[in-house]
PDB file of all heavy atoms in Angstrom:
ATOM      1  N   VAL A   1       1.136   3.364   7.987  1.00 97.00           N
ATOM      2  CA  VAL A   1       2.167   2.327   7.809  1.00 97.00           C
ATOM      3  C   VAL A   1       3.550   3.000   7.589  1.00 97.00           C
ATOM      4  O   VAL A   1       4.412   2.447   6.937  1.00 97.00           O
ATOM      5  CB  VAL A   1       1.816   1.411   6.640  1.00 97.00           C
ATOM      6  CG1 VAL A   1       0.771   0.432   7.043  1.00 97.00           C
ATOM      7  CG2 VAL A   1       1.412   2.147   5.356  1.00 97.00           C
ATOM      8  N   GLY A   2       3.737   4.192   8.154  1.00 96.00           N
ATOM      9  CA  GLY A   2       5.021   4.860   8.051  1.00 96.00           C
ATOM     10  C   GLY A   2       6.177   4.053   8.676  1.00 96.00           C
ATOM     11  O   GLY A   2       7.315   4.126   8.204  1.00 96.00           O
ATOM     12  N   ASP A   3       5.866   3.279   9.686  1.00 96.00           N
ATOM     13  CA  ASP A   3       6.911   2.490  10.364  1.00 96.00           C
ATOM     14  C   ASP A   3       7.331   1.237   9.515  1.00 96.00           C
ATOM     15  O   ASP A   3       8.274   0.591   9.899  1.00 96.00           O
ATOM     16  CB  ASP A   3       6.433   2.039  11.734  1.00 96.00           C
ATOM     17  CG  ASP A   3       5.157   1.214  11.708  1.00 96.00           C
ATOM     18  OD1 ASP A   3       4.481   1.138  10.664  1.00 96.00           O
ATOM     19  OD2 ASP A   3       4.768   0.649  12.786  1.00 96.00           O
ATOM     20  N   THR A   4       6.622   0.999   8.431  1.00 96.00           N
ATOM     21  CA  THR A   4       7.051  -0.158   7.587  1.00 96.00           C
ATOM     22  C   THR A   4       7.927   0.323   6.415  1.00 96.00           C
ATOM     23  O   THR A   4       8.267  -0.494   5.549  1.00 96.00           O
ATOM     24  CB  THR A   4       5.798  -0.800   6.991  1.00 96.00           C
ATOM     25  OG1 THR A   4       5.172   0.026   6.013  1.00 96.00           O
ATOM     26  CG2 THR A   4       4.770  -1.183   8.061  1.00 96.00           C
ATOM     27  N   ALA A   5       8.242   1.619   6.341  1.00 97.00           N
ATOM     28  CA  ALA A   5       8.929   2.173   5.186  1.00 97.00           C
ATOM     29  C   ALA A   5      10.154   1.354   4.798  1.00 97.00           C
ATOM     30  O   ALA A   5      10.423   1.131   3.582  1.00 97.00           O
ATOM     31  CB  ALA A   5       9.325   3.631   5.463  1.00 97.00           C
ATOM     32  N   GLN A   6      10.963   0.948   5.772  1.00 97.00           N
ATOM     33  CA  GLN A   6      12.207   0.206   5.439  1.00 97.00           C
ATOM     34  C   GLN A   6      12.074  -1.292   5.596  1.00 97.00           C
ATOM     35  O   GLN A   6      13.076  -2.001   5.622  1.00 97.00           O
ATOM     36  CB  GLN A   6      13.323   0.730   6.379  1.00 97.00           C
ATOM     37  CG  GLN A   6      13.572   2.225   6.203  1.00 97.00           C
ATOM     38  CD  GLN A   6      13.979   2.617   4.834  1.00 97.00           C
ATOM     39  OE1 GLN A   6      14.562   1.866   4.066  1.00 97.00           O
ATOM     40  NE2 GLN A   6      13.600   3.880   4.424  1.00 97.00           N
ATOM     41  N   VAL A   7      10.874  -1.784   5.625  1.00 97.00           N
ATOM     42  CA  VAL A   7      10.606  -3.228   5.725  1.00 97.00           C
ATOM     43  C   VAL A   7      10.367  -3.791   4.361  1.00 97.00           C
ATOM     44  O   VAL A   7       9.577  -3.225   3.567  1.00 97.00           O
ATOM     45  CB  VAL A   7       9.431  -3.505   6.669  1.00 97.00           C
ATOM     46  CG1 VAL A   7       9.133  -5.016   6.769  1.00 97.00           C
ATOM     47  CG2 VAL A   7       9.656  -2.946   8.033  1.00 97.00           C
ATOM     48  N   LEU A   8      10.912  -4.962   4.046  1.00 98.00           N
ATOM     49  CA  LEU A   8      10.639  -5.621   2.765  1.00 98.00           C
ATOM     50  C   LEU A   8       9.200  -5.995   2.687  1.00 98.00           C
ATOM     51  O   LEU A   8       8.616  -6.495   3.688  1.00 98.00           O
ATOM     52  CB  LEU A   8      11.538  -6.880   2.608  1.00 98.00           C
ATOM     53  CG  LEU A   8      13.050  -6.649   2.504  1.00 98.00           C
ATOM     54  CD1 LEU A   8      13.756  -8.007   2.398  1.00 98.00           C
ATOM     55  CD2 LEU A   8      13.392  -5.776   1.359  1.00 98.00           C
ATOM     56  N   VAL A   9       8.592  -5.816   1.559  1.00 97.00           N
ATOM     57  CA  VAL A   9       7.152  -6.097   1.378  1.00 97.00           C
ATOM     58  C   VAL A   9       6.793  -7.532   1.735  1.00 97.00           C
ATOM     59  O   VAL A   9       5.726  -7.832   2.306  1.00 97.00           O
ATOM     60  CB  VAL A   9       6.720  -5.759  -0.074  1.00 97.00           C
ATOM     61  CG1 VAL A   9       5.397  -6.383  -0.427  1.00 97.00           C
ATOM     62  CG2 VAL A   9       6.663  -4.240  -0.261  1.00 97.00           C
ATOM     63  N   ARG A  10       7.710  -8.477   1.417  1.00 96.00           N
ATOM     64  CA  ARG A  10       7.387  -9.906   1.698  1.00 96.00           C
ATOM     65  C   ARG A  10       7.243 -10.184   3.192  1.00 96.00           C
ATOM     66  O   ARG A  10       6.731 -11.212   3.579  1.00 96.00           O
ATOM     67  CB  ARG A  10       8.426 -10.794   1.051  1.00 96.00           C
ATOM     68  CG  ARG A  10       9.836 -10.592   1.519  1.00 96.00           C
ATOM     69  CD  ARG A  10      10.775 -11.530   0.702  1.00 96.00           C
ATOM     70  NE  ARG A  10      12.166 -11.210   0.921  1.00 96.00           N
ATOM     71  CZ  ARG A  10      12.898 -11.604   1.966  1.00 96.00           C
ATOM     72  NH1 ARG A  10      12.375 -12.350   2.903  1.00 96.00           N
ATOM     73  NH2 ARG A  10      14.179 -11.288   2.078  1.00 96.00           N
ATOM     74  N   ARG A  11       7.733  -9.259   4.011  1.00 97.00           N
ATOM     75  CA  ARG A  11       7.652  -9.445   5.472  1.00 97.00           C
ATOM     76  C   ARG A  11       6.434  -8.733   6.078  1.00 97.00           C
ATOM     77  O   ARG A  11       6.231  -8.779   7.268  1.00 97.00           O
ATOM     78  CB  ARG A  11       8.900  -8.897   6.134  1.00 97.00           C
ATOM     79  CG  ARG A  11      10.163  -9.718   5.764  1.00 97.00           C
ATOM     80  CD  ARG A  11      11.380  -9.167   6.431  1.00 97.00           C
ATOM     81  NE  ARG A  11      12.537  -9.955   6.121  1.00 97.00           N
ATOM     82  CZ  ARG A  11      13.817  -9.610   6.433  1.00 97.00           C
ATOM     83  NH1 ARG A  11      14.024  -8.457   7.098  1.00 97.00           N
ATOM     84  NH2 ARG A  11      14.826 -10.381   6.100  1.00 97.00           N
ATOM     85  N   LEU A  12       5.667  -8.064   5.242  1.00 97.00           N
ATOM     86  CA  LEU A  12       4.497  -7.366   5.750  1.00 97.00           C
ATOM     87  C   LEU A  12       3.251  -8.281   5.776  1.00 97.00           C
ATOM     88  O   LEU A  12       3.171  -9.250   5.061  1.00 97.00           O
ATOM     89  CB  LEU A  12       4.182  -6.138   4.839  1.00 97.00           C
ATOM     90  CG  LEU A  12       5.308  -5.087   4.711  1.00 97.00           C
ATOM     91  CD1 LEU A  12       4.850  -4.020   3.758  1.00 97.00           C
ATOM     92  CD2 LEU A  12       5.608  -4.494   6.101  1.00 97.00           C
ATOM     93  N   SER A  13       2.313  -7.913   6.605  1.00 96.00           N
ATOM     94  CA  SER A  13       1.024  -8.609   6.656  1.00 96.00           C
ATOM     95  C   SER A  13       0.199  -8.250   5.427  1.00 96.00           C
ATOM     96  O   SER A  13       0.525  -7.263   4.713  1.00 96.00           O
ATOM     97  CB  SER A  13       0.239  -8.240   7.933  1.00 96.00           C
ATOM     98  OG  SER A  13      -0.191  -6.867   7.852  1.00 96.00           O
ATOM     99  N   ALA A  14      -0.819  -9.004   5.149  1.00 95.00           N
ATOM    100  CA  ALA A  14      -1.696  -8.756   4.051  1.00 95.00           C
ATOM    101  C   ALA A  14      -2.294  -7.348   4.089  1.00 95.00           C
ATOM    102  O   ALA A  14      -2.384  -6.632   3.124  1.00 95.00           O
ATOM    103  CB  ALA A  14      -2.785  -9.822   3.927  1.00 95.00           C
ATOM    104  N   GLY A  15      -2.727  -6.964   5.301  1.00 96.00           N
ATOM    105  CA  GLY A  15      -3.303  -5.619   5.519  1.00 96.00           C
ATOM    106  C   GLY A  15      -2.288  -4.540   5.237  1.00 96.00           C
ATOM    107  O   GLY A  15      -2.596  -3.488   4.616  1.00 96.00           O
ATOM    108  N   GLU A  16      -1.065  -4.732   5.704  1.00 97.00           N
ATOM    109  CA  GLU A  16      -0.049  -3.717   5.539  1.00 97.00           C
ATOM    110  C   GLU A  16       0.299  -3.617   4.042  1.00 97.00           C
ATOM    111  O   GLU A  16       0.526  -2.483   3.542  1.00 97.00           O
ATOM    112  CB  GLU A  16       1.214  -4.094   6.317  1.00 97.00           C
ATOM    113  CG  GLU A  16       1.094  -3.933   7.825  1.00 97.00           C
ATOM    114  CD  GLU A  16       2.255  -4.463   8.611  1.00 97.00           C
ATOM    115  OE1 GLU A  16       2.869  -5.463   8.103  1.00 97.00           O
ATOM    116  OE2 GLU A  16       2.502  -3.992   9.705  1.00 97.00           O
ATOM    117  N   ARG A  17       0.351  -4.728   3.339  1.00 97.00           N
ATOM    118  CA  ARG A  17       0.637  -4.664   1.902  1.00 97.00           C
ATOM    119  C   ARG A  17      -0.470  -3.915   1.181  1.00 97.00           C
ATOM    120  O   ARG A  17      -0.217  -3.177   0.212  1.00 97.00           O
ATOM    121  CB  ARG A  17       0.782  -6.107   1.357  1.00 97.00           C
ATOM    122  CG  ARG A  17       2.028  -6.810   1.792  1.00 97.00           C
ATOM    123  CD  ARG A  17       2.340  -8.003   0.889  1.00 97.00           C
ATOM    124  NE  ARG A  17       1.325  -9.039   1.013  1.00 97.00           N
ATOM    125  CZ  ARG A  17       1.323 -10.015   1.904  1.00 97.00           C
ATOM    126  NH1 ARG A  17       2.310 -10.098   2.803  1.00 97.00           N
ATOM    127  NH2 ARG A  17       0.338 -10.923   1.929  1.00 97.00           N
ATOM    128  N   ARG A  18      -1.699  -4.097   1.595  1.00 97.00           N
ATOM    129  CA  ARG A  18      -2.832  -3.355   0.978  1.00 97.00           C
ATOM    130  C   ARG A  18      -2.633  -1.887   1.171  1.00 97.00           C
ATOM    131  O   ARG A  18      -2.894  -1.106   0.219  1.00 97.00           O
ATOM    132  CB  ARG A  18      -4.148  -3.837   1.595  1.00 97.00           C
ATOM    133  CG  ARG A  18      -5.373  -3.279   0.924  1.00 97.00           C
ATOM    134  CD  ARG A  18      -5.898  -4.254  -0.063  1.00 97.00           C
ATOM    135  NE  ARG A  18      -7.027  -3.774  -0.828  1.00 97.00           N
ATOM    136  CZ  ARG A  18      -7.161  -3.992  -2.146  1.00 97.00           C
ATOM    137  NH1 ARG A  18      -6.219  -4.692  -2.764  1.00 97.00           N
ATOM    138  NH2 ARG A  18      -8.186  -3.600  -2.779  1.00 97.00           N
ATOM    139  N   LEU A  19      -2.235  -1.478   2.354  1.00 98.00           N
ATOM    140  CA  LEU A  19      -2.074  -0.079   2.633  1.00 98.00           C
ATOM    141  C   LEU A  19      -0.909   0.519   1.877  1.00 98.00           C
ATOM    142  O   LEU A  19      -0.927   1.668   1.434  1.00 98.00           O
ATOM    143  CB  LEU A  19      -1.941   0.144   4.136  1.00 98.00           C
ATOM    144  CG  LEU A  19      -3.217  -0.121   4.956  1.00 98.00           C
ATOM    145  CD1 LEU A  19      -2.894  -0.144   6.446  1.00 98.00           C
ATOM    146  CD2 LEU A  19      -4.298   0.948   4.633  1.00 98.00           C
ATOM    147  N   VAL A  20       0.151  -0.275   1.728  1.00 98.00           N
ATOM    148  CA  VAL A  20       1.328   0.212   0.952  1.00 98.00           C
ATOM    149  C   VAL A  20       0.888   0.364  -0.523  1.00 98.00           C
ATOM    150  O   VAL A  20       1.273   1.370  -1.182  1.00 98.00           O
ATOM    151  CB  VAL A  20       2.471  -0.824   1.055  1.00 98.00           C
ATOM    152  CG1 VAL A  20       3.574  -0.476   0.063  1.00 98.00           C
ATOM    153  CG2 VAL A  20       3.042  -0.797   2.462  1.00 98.00           C
ATOM    154  N   ALA A  21       0.115  -0.557  -1.026  1.00 97.00           N
ATOM    155  CA  ALA A  21      -0.353  -0.453  -2.402  1.00 97.00           C
ATOM    156  C   ALA A  21      -1.255   0.771  -2.605  1.00 97.00           C
ATOM    157  O   ALA A  21      -1.169   1.474  -3.610  1.00 97.00           O
ATOM    158  CB  ALA A  21      -1.094  -1.711  -2.798  1.00 97.00           C
ATOM    159  N   LEU A  22      -2.058   1.083  -1.600  1.00 97.00           N
ATOM    160  CA  LEU A  22      -2.933   2.278  -1.667  1.00 97.00           C
ATOM    161  C   LEU A  22      -2.070   3.538  -1.599  1.00 97.00           C
ATOM    162  O   LEU A  22      -2.330   4.494  -2.336  1.00 97.00           O
ATOM    163  CB  LEU A  22      -3.933   2.257  -0.555  1.00 97.00           C
ATOM    164  CG  LEU A  22      -4.890   3.421  -0.474  1.00 97.00           C
ATOM    165  CD1 LEU A  22      -5.695   3.565  -1.769  1.00 97.00           C
ATOM    166  CD2 LEU A  22      -5.869   3.271   0.698  1.00 97.00           C
ATOM    167  N   ALA A  23      -1.063   3.503  -0.738  1.00 97.00           N
ATOM    168  CA  ALA A  23      -0.150   4.682  -0.636  1.00 97.00           C
ATOM    169  C   ALA A  23       0.513   4.872  -2.016  1.00 97.00           C
ATOM    170  O   ALA A  23       0.677   6.055  -2.467  1.00 97.00           O
ATOM    171  CB  ALA A  23       0.904   4.439   0.394  1.00 97.00           C
ATOM    172  N   ARG A  24       0.891   3.820  -2.695  1.00 96.00           N
ATOM    173  CA  ARG A  24       1.503   3.914  -4.004  1.00 96.00           C
ATOM    174  C   ARG A  24       0.524   4.554  -5.030  1.00 96.00           C
ATOM    175  O   ARG A  24       0.918   5.358  -5.875  1.00 96.00           O
ATOM    176  CB  ARG A  24       1.961   2.559  -4.466  1.00 96.00           C
ATOM    177  CG  ARG A  24       2.734   2.630  -5.834  1.00 96.00           C
ATOM    178  CD  ARG A  24       3.250   1.250  -6.209  1.00 96.00           C
ATOM    179  NE  ARG A  24       2.161   0.279  -6.511  1.00 96.00           N
ATOM    180  CZ  ARG A  24       2.376  -0.971  -6.887  1.00 96.00           C
ATOM    181  NH1 ARG A  24       3.592  -1.411  -7.020  1.00 96.00           N
ATOM    182  NH2 ARG A  24       1.358  -1.741  -7.158  1.00 96.00           N
ATOM    183  N   ALA A  25      -0.753   4.161  -4.944  1.00 96.00           N
ATOM    184  CA  ALA A  25      -1.785   4.704  -5.871  1.00 96.00           C
ATOM    185  C   ALA A  25      -1.994   6.195  -5.617  1.00 96.00           C
ATOM    186  O   ALA A  25      -2.305   6.931  -6.542  1.00 96.00           O
ATOM    187  CB  ALA A  25      -3.049   3.929  -5.720  1.00 96.00           C
ATOM    188  N   LEU A  26      -1.961   6.610  -4.357  1.00 96.00           N
ATOM    189  CA  LEU A  26      -2.268   8.015  -4.020  1.00 96.00           C
ATOM    190  C   LEU A  26      -1.091   8.953  -4.043  1.00 96.00           C
ATOM    191  O   LEU A  26      -1.293  10.163  -4.147  1.00 96.00           O
ATOM    192  CB  LEU A  26      -2.948   8.024  -2.619  1.00 96.00           C
ATOM    193  CG  LEU A  26      -4.272   7.329  -2.491  1.00 96.00           C
ATOM    194  CD1 LEU A  26      -4.749   7.359  -1.028  1.00 96.00           C
ATOM    195  CD2 LEU A  26      -5.334   7.937  -3.382  1.00 96.00           C
ATOM    196  N   ALA A  27       0.109   8.423  -3.920  1.00 94.00           N
ATOM    197  CA  ALA A  27       1.285   9.280  -3.779  1.00 94.00           C
ATOM    198  C   ALA A  27       1.490  10.142  -5.023  1.00 94.00           C
ATOM    199  O   ALA A  27       1.274   9.679  -6.154  1.00 94.00           O
ATOM    200  CB  ALA A  27       2.499   8.423  -3.563  1.00 94.00           C
ATOM    201  N   GLY A  28       1.972  11.357  -4.809  1.00 89.00           N
ATOM    202  CA  GLY A  28       2.306  12.225  -5.922  1.00 89.00           C
ATOM    203  C   GLY A  28       1.118  12.880  -6.608  1.00 89.00           C
ATOM    204  O   GLY A  28       1.264  13.472  -7.669  1.00 89.00           O
ATOM    205  N   ALA A  29      -0.061  12.769  -5.981  1.00 88.00           N
ATOM    206  CA  ALA A  29      -1.255  13.479  -6.529  1.00 88.00           C
ATOM    207  C   ALA A  29      -1.519  13.149  -7.998  1.00 88.00           C
ATOM    208  O   ALA A  29      -1.491  14.041  -8.824  1.00 88.00           O
ATOM    209  CB  ALA A  29      -1.168  14.967  -6.302  1.00 88.00           C
ATOM    210  N   PRO A  30      -1.782  11.891  -8.329  1.00 91.00           N
ATOM    211  CA  PRO A  30      -2.125  11.570  -9.722  1.00 91.00           C
ATOM    212  C   PRO A  30      -3.399  12.266 -10.174  1.00 91.00           C
ATOM    213  O   PRO A  30      -4.263  12.581  -9.296  1.00 91.00           O
ATOM    214  CB  PRO A  30      -2.244  10.025  -9.731  1.00 91.00           C
ATOM    215  CG  PRO A  30      -2.635   9.700  -8.326  1.00 91.00           C
ATOM    216  CD  PRO A  30      -1.872  10.697  -7.504  1.00 91.00           C
ATOM    217  N   VAL A  31      -3.565  12.483 -11.450  1.00 92.00           N
ATOM    218  CA  VAL A  31      -4.739  13.185 -11.954  1.00 92.00           C
ATOM    219  C   VAL A  31      -5.971  12.316 -11.777  1.00 92.00           C
ATOM    220  O   VAL A  31      -7.065  12.821 -11.425  1.00 92.00           O
ATOM    221  CB  VAL A  31      -4.533  13.554 -13.418  1.00 92.00           C
ATOM    222  CG1 VAL A  31      -5.800  14.132 -14.038  1.00 92.00           C
ATOM    223  CG2 VAL A  31      -3.397  14.549 -13.570  1.00 92.00           C
ATOM    224  N   LEU A  32      -5.870  11.027 -12.046  1.00 95.00           N
ATOM    225  CA  LEU A  32      -6.985  10.122 -11.846  1.00 95.00           C
ATOM    226  C   LEU A  32      -6.589   9.047 -10.855  1.00 95.00           C
ATOM    227  O   LEU A  32      -5.508   8.439 -10.936  1.00 95.00           O
ATOM    228  CB  LEU A  32      -7.343   9.452 -13.178  1.00 95.00           C
ATOM    229  CG  LEU A  32      -8.352   8.299 -13.152  1.00 95.00           C
ATOM    230  CD1 LEU A  32      -9.730   8.795 -12.683  1.00 95.00           C
ATOM    231  CD2 LEU A  32      -8.491   7.622 -14.526  1.00 95.00           C
ATOM    232  N   VAL A  33      -7.462   8.759  -9.894  1.00 96.00           N
ATOM    233  CA  VAL A  33      -7.293   7.727  -8.938  1.00 96.00           C
ATOM    234  C   VAL A  33      -8.440   6.689  -9.101  1.00 96.00           C
ATOM    235  O   VAL A  33      -9.585   7.067  -9.015  1.00 96.00           O
ATOM    236  CB  VAL A  33      -7.314   8.270  -7.479  1.00 96.00           C
ATOM    237  CG1 VAL A  33      -7.233   7.155  -6.467  1.00 96.00           C
ATOM    238  CG2 VAL A  33      -6.125   9.230  -7.254  1.00 96.00           C
ATOM    239  N   ALA A  34      -8.058   5.456  -9.368  1.00 97.00           N
ATOM    240  CA  ALA A  34      -9.023   4.379  -9.581  1.00 97.00           C
ATOM    241  C   ALA A  34      -8.762   3.347  -8.534  1.00 97.00           C
ATOM    242  O   ALA A  34      -7.732   2.609  -8.608  1.00 97.00           O
ATOM    243  CB  ALA A  34      -8.913   3.816 -10.983  1.00 97.00           C
ATOM    244  N   LEU A  35      -9.690   3.161  -7.602  1.00 98.00           N
ATOM    245  CA  LEU A  35      -9.482   2.284  -6.423  1.00 98.00           C
ATOM    246  C   LEU A  35     -10.510   1.149  -6.405  1.00 98.00           C
ATOM    247  O   LEU A  35     -11.724   1.395  -6.362  1.00 98.00           O
ATOM    248  CB  LEU A  35      -9.548   3.040  -5.125  1.00 98.00           C
ATOM    249  CG  LEU A  35      -8.678   4.312  -5.023  1.00 98.00           C
ATOM    250  CD1 LEU A  35      -8.924   5.020  -3.715  1.00 98.00           C
ATOM    251  CD2 LEU A  35      -7.174   3.907  -5.126  1.00 98.00           C
ATOM    252  N   ASP A  36     -10.037  -0.098  -6.424  1.00 97.00           N
ATOM    253  CA  ASP A  36     -10.925  -1.238  -6.412  1.00 97.00           C
ATOM    254  C   ASP A  36     -10.935  -1.820  -5.002  1.00 97.00           C
ATOM    255  O   ASP A  36      -9.981  -2.419  -4.529  1.00 97.00           O
ATOM    256  CB  ASP A  36     -10.428  -2.293  -7.447  1.00 97.00           C
ATOM    257  CG  ASP A  36     -11.446  -3.412  -7.631  1.00 97.00           C
ATOM    258  OD1 ASP A  36     -12.377  -3.530  -6.805  1.00 97.00           O
ATOM    259  OD2 ASP A  36     -11.293  -4.167  -8.616  1.00 97.00           O
ATOM    260  N   ASP A  37     -12.021  -1.562  -4.294  1.00 96.00           N
ATOM    261  CA  ASP A  37     -12.262  -2.094  -2.916  1.00 96.00           C
ATOM    262  C   ASP A  37     -11.066  -1.819  -2.026  1.00 96.00           C
ATOM    263  O   ASP A  37     -10.433  -2.723  -1.537  1.00 96.00           O
ATOM    264  CB  ASP A  37     -12.548  -3.597  -2.981  1.00 96.00           C
ATOM    265  CG  ASP A  37     -13.675  -3.963  -2.051  1.00 96.00           C
ATOM    266  OD1 ASP A  37     -14.181  -3.103  -1.353  1.00 96.00           O
ATOM    267  OD2 ASP A  37     -14.055  -5.158  -2.017  1.00 96.00           O
ATOM    268  N   PRO A  38     -10.706  -0.584  -1.799  1.00 97.00           N
ATOM    269  CA  PRO A  38      -9.510  -0.206  -1.053  1.00 97.00           C
ATOM    270  C   PRO A  38      -9.465  -0.664   0.377  1.00 97.00           C
ATOM    271  O   PRO A  38      -8.361  -0.775   0.944  1.00 97.00           O
ATOM    272  CB  PRO A  38      -9.488   1.329  -1.162  1.00 97.00           C
ATOM    273  CG  PRO A  38     -10.888   1.764  -1.362  1.00 97.00           C
ATOM    274  CD  PRO A  38     -11.497   0.666  -2.216  1.00 97.00           C
ATOM    275  N   THR A  39     -10.619  -0.928   1.025  1.00 97.00           N
ATOM    276  CA  THR A  39     -10.601  -1.292   2.439  1.00 97.00           C
ATOM    277  C   THR A  39     -10.723  -2.807   2.597  1.00 97.00           C
ATOM    278  O   THR A  39     -10.890  -3.274   3.742  1.00 97.00           O
ATOM    279  CB  THR A  39     -11.727  -0.615   3.186  1.00 97.00           C
ATOM    280  OG1 THR A  39     -12.989  -0.884   2.556  1.00 97.00           O
ATOM    281  CG2 THR A  39     -11.513   0.923   3.238  1.00 97.00           C
ATOM    282  N   ALA A  40     -10.640  -3.568   1.523  1.00 95.00           N
ATOM    283  CA  ALA A  40     -10.829  -5.043   1.642  1.00 95.00           C
ATOM    284  C   ALA A  40      -9.790  -5.621   2.623  1.00 95.00           C
ATOM    285  O   ALA A  40      -8.580  -5.377   2.470  1.00 95.00           O
ATOM    286  CB  ALA A  40     -10.650  -5.661   0.240  1.00 95.00           C
TER     287      ALA A  40
END
């Protein structure tokens, strides 16, 4: 979803928003990653 970088979240599809949220969870190499049904 790199091509959505400059798109407002409210204009994204539900799937794109899910992937953006997952990118936020994984970015920056957090020590603990807790993912609830990431592919829903």
Side-chain angles (χ1 to χ4, degrees):
V1 284
D3 58 350
T4 70
Q6 300 302 330
V7 179
L8 295 178
V9 163
R10 59 183 169 83
R11 294 180 178 171
L12 300 178
S13 68
E16 288 171 332
R17 290 196 296 272
R18 187 96 183 139
L19 291 168
V20 170
L22 180 58
R24 185 176 65 179
L26 296 176
V31 174
L32 171 64
V33 174
L35 307 176
D36 191 345
D37 223 356
T39 56

